[in-house]
Amino acid sequence: MTTIKSAWAAVGGDPAHLSRVSTVERAGALQGRLPVRELARACVGACALAAAELGARRAGLSEVPRVRVDDGAVATAFVSERHLLVDGRAPVAFAPLSRFWRTADGWVRTHANYPHHRRRLLAALGLSEERPSVETALAERSALEVEEAVYAAGGLAVALRTPDAWAAHPQRAAVAARPLVERERTDVTPPRLLAPLDAGAPLLPAAGLRVLDLTRVIAGPVATRTLALLGADVLRVDPPRLPELPDQHADTGFGKRSATLDLAADRRTFEELLAAADVVVTGYRPGALDRFGLSARALAERRPGVVVAQLSAWGGYGPWAGRRGFDSLVQVATGIAALEGSVERPGALPAQALDHGTGYLLAAAVLRAVTEQSYDGGSRVVRVALARTAEWLLRDLRPGDAEGTAGGTPYDGPGPWLAESDSGLGRLRYARSPVSFAGGPADWTRPPGPWGSDAANWS
């Protein structure tokens, strides 16, 4: 259990439980030059085992239910955004200005899926038009010059680096010095009282937990989507003036409710939500929510016994601590894009695996924190970063790490792991969750609804 063992250790799991995990290896799933399949399998396996462990504790089972990790289900879920269909329409993954561009001395990747990021990118380049003006402007500058200018304007652009160049970067040094999953107990509070589960019903380890979801894009919403699958009442809250991309919301909104709330104008409503929340998950850049009193320590002071789960692109430390980032940009900075590409052009992983993998790791860390609280109490903070997951992929994992497989067949496509459902958004085709354990849920109980259409209160 080489790779699942390392992910399970990262979330503080008991090694004895690893004997409950089996895997189905499927050749051809998530193929890349780096061990993406192994990373994906490990993150999902750790999450499923954390769910099974908590379910066993709440149901009074004598042993942890068996966990089965199928490469086919994992590979399908790790590109869930590509499998989504809304009334037969496929989503648009990247906007025209989110791509690789040649510069005077190499390559740069920009991210402009959101309108405000597009405006800032163009402003940084002194442009009011798109391609070919952007192409010309970037070709005249160095990659590092573009990176600094765009970030200074609040946009997103990252110069392509080799793994060696990233290894020499001070942000990499800061990232590598941290554990894959940071775990902290911040105070002493009584053990969490969890209502027992009926062992004869489907095991929903997170049943009764209220999760306040302050995340965007993929990694954070994947974590909270998983907690919703496992029975949690998940309320996603967004600023009313920053709508989520509709297809992205549809893909990651399963099992959740979605509300909008202006934290500055309606602080009372937020404090009422926090007062009854068990878990708060944040996915904004480090420090962005602090002005609203949403640092981990401040949250625990106002809601003792809470689990705070924090996600960032680059980590909350080092010279890039305050920078925004996305999976595609982290791949470019860390050398992954150089390794997966060619001399002629940079490449990419077969999935946004840093996003999806980190999301499942975060969900696993939350579940383990709740399990630990059930006997040891205390407010808990767990932190993950896309760049730290990239470090794990680049330097710690190896292709073909043995997992004690149960059979082995080719990956013939996503068919068995896709489902359809009617929703307030239309007829949806979607990828099922890969988190599977004996007695656990097979699918979400509710499809996503329109963004921001729910009331900002607990159900």
Side-chain angles (χ1 to χ4, degrees):
M1 311 304 295
T2 309
T3 56
I4 295 179
K5 179 180 179 181
S6 62
W8 184 237
V11 296
D14 183 347
H17 294 333
L18 289 167
S19 64
R20 308 299 294 169
V21 182
S22 64
T23 63
V24 179
E25 185 172 326
R26 296 186 187 271
L30 295 175
Q31 286 186 309
R33 295 177 182 173
L34 289 166
V36 183
R37 180 176 58 172
E38 289 76 8
L39 177 143
R41 186 190 296 155
C43 295
V44 170
C47 184
L49 187 53
E53 177 193 41
L54 180 57
R57 183 167 182 83
R58 296 188 64 181
L61 303 180
S62 59
E63 60 182 359
V64 171
R66 291 195 174 278
V67 169
R68 186 173 184 265
V69 185
D70 191 312
D71 282 351
V74 172
T76 302
F78 263 59
V79 290
S80 61
E81 63 276 8
R82 300 181 200 170
H83 294 306
L84 178 73
L85 292 179
V86 182
D87 286 332
R89 176 189 59 81
V92 176
F94 287 101
L97 294 188
S98 296
R99 48 163 286 193
F100 283 107
W101 306 84
R102 279 197 178 276
T103 64
D105 62 350
W107 292 88
V108 70
R109 179 147 190 168
T110 55
H111 197 289
N113 283 5
Y114 290 100
H116 57 292
H117 290 155
R118 176 184 171 277
R119 289 193 300 269
R120 292 168 186 172
L121 171 64
L122 293 173
L125 300 176
L127 301 173
S128 58
E129 301 178 10
E130 296 187 10
R131 185 179 179 182
S133 299
V134 172
E135 197 165 36
T136 301
L138 292 176
E140 296 170 348
R141 308 185 188 194
S142 72
L144 290 178
E145 178 188 355
V146 172
E147 179 180 277
E148 292 304 319
V150 174
Y151 262 103
L156 292 143
V158 171
L160 178 71
R161 291 172 172 82
T162 65
D164 287 344
W166 178 246
H169 197 282
Q171 185 61 30
R172 186 265 166 174
V175 166
R178 302 294 180 117
L180 178 61
V181 179
E182 296 182 62
R183 301 162 53 244
E184 179 185 358
R185 176 176 172 170
T186 60
D187 59 23
V188 178
T189 59
R192 179 187 291 274
L193 297 177
L194 293 168
L197 300 177
D198 181 358
L203 279 181
L204 295 174
L209 294 178
R210 288 173 167 170
V211 178
L212 192 54
D213 179 359
L214 307 178
T215 69
R216 294 175 72 80
V217 197
I218 295 179
V222 163
T224 51
R225 180 180 71 182
T226 303
L227 296 175
L229 171 82
L230 299 171
D233 179 7
V234 179
L235 177 65
R236 173 165 165 170
V237 176
D238 284 287
R241 289 177 293 278
L242 284 178
E244 182 60 281
L245 301 174
D247 292 334
Q248 205 157 257
H249 167 72
D251 176 50
T252 60
F254 282 87
K256 310 178 191 178
R257 292 180 299 118
S258 169
T260 60
L261 186 67
D262 187 327
L263 293 182
D266 196 355
R267 191 51 182 266
R268 178 178 177 180
T269 298
F270 179 80
E271 292 301 325
E272 290 174 351
L273 291 173
L274 176 62
D278 299 291
V279 179
V280 179
V281 186
T282 67
Y284 293 78
R285 63 187 173 87
L289 297 177
D290 289 5
R291 70 183 187 279
F292 299 110
L294 300 182
S295 68
R297 198 160 293 279
L299 288 169
E301 287 174 355
R302 301 206 303 284
R303 178 61 166 138
V306 73
V307 174
V308 180
Q310 296 181 321
L311 162 79
S312 64
W314 309 105
Y317 35 76
W320 285 11
R323 289 197 175 191
R324 299 173 178 86
F326 294 97
D327 180 304
S328 59
L329 301 183
V330 176
Q331 288 190 43
V332 171
T334 58
I336 290 173
L339 285 174
E340 292 288 344
S342 64
V343 175
E344 292 78 22
R345 186 175 180 84
L349 296 173
Q352 294 192 68
L354 305 181
D355 261 335
H356 286 271
T358 304
Y360 289 110
L361 273 180
L362 188 60
V366 168
L367 294 166
R368 289 245 58 260
V370 172
T371 296
E372 291 176 344
Q373 284 182 326
S374 71
Y375 56 80
D376 202 26
S379 301
R380 308 278 170 152
V381 182
V382 295
R383 298 183 181 91
V384 291
L386 303 185
R388 184 59 184 86
T389 303
E391 178 76 12
W392 186 43
L393 174 64
L394 281 163
R395 293 177 171 82
D396 297 330
L397 298 181
R398 296 291 179 269
D401 277 347
E403 297 289 1
T405 59
T409 57
Y411 178 58
D412 292 328
W417 300 284
L418 297 178
E420 292 192 6
S421 173
D422 290 320
S423 77
L425 304 173
R427 183 70 177 175
L428 301 180
R429 187 193 75 178
Y430 62 96
R432 293 182 183 272
S433 175
V435 174
S436 175
F437 56 94
D443 206 347
W444 290 277
T445 57
R446 59 179 292 163
W451 179 83
S453 61
D454 295 295
N457 54 40
W458 295 113
S459 59

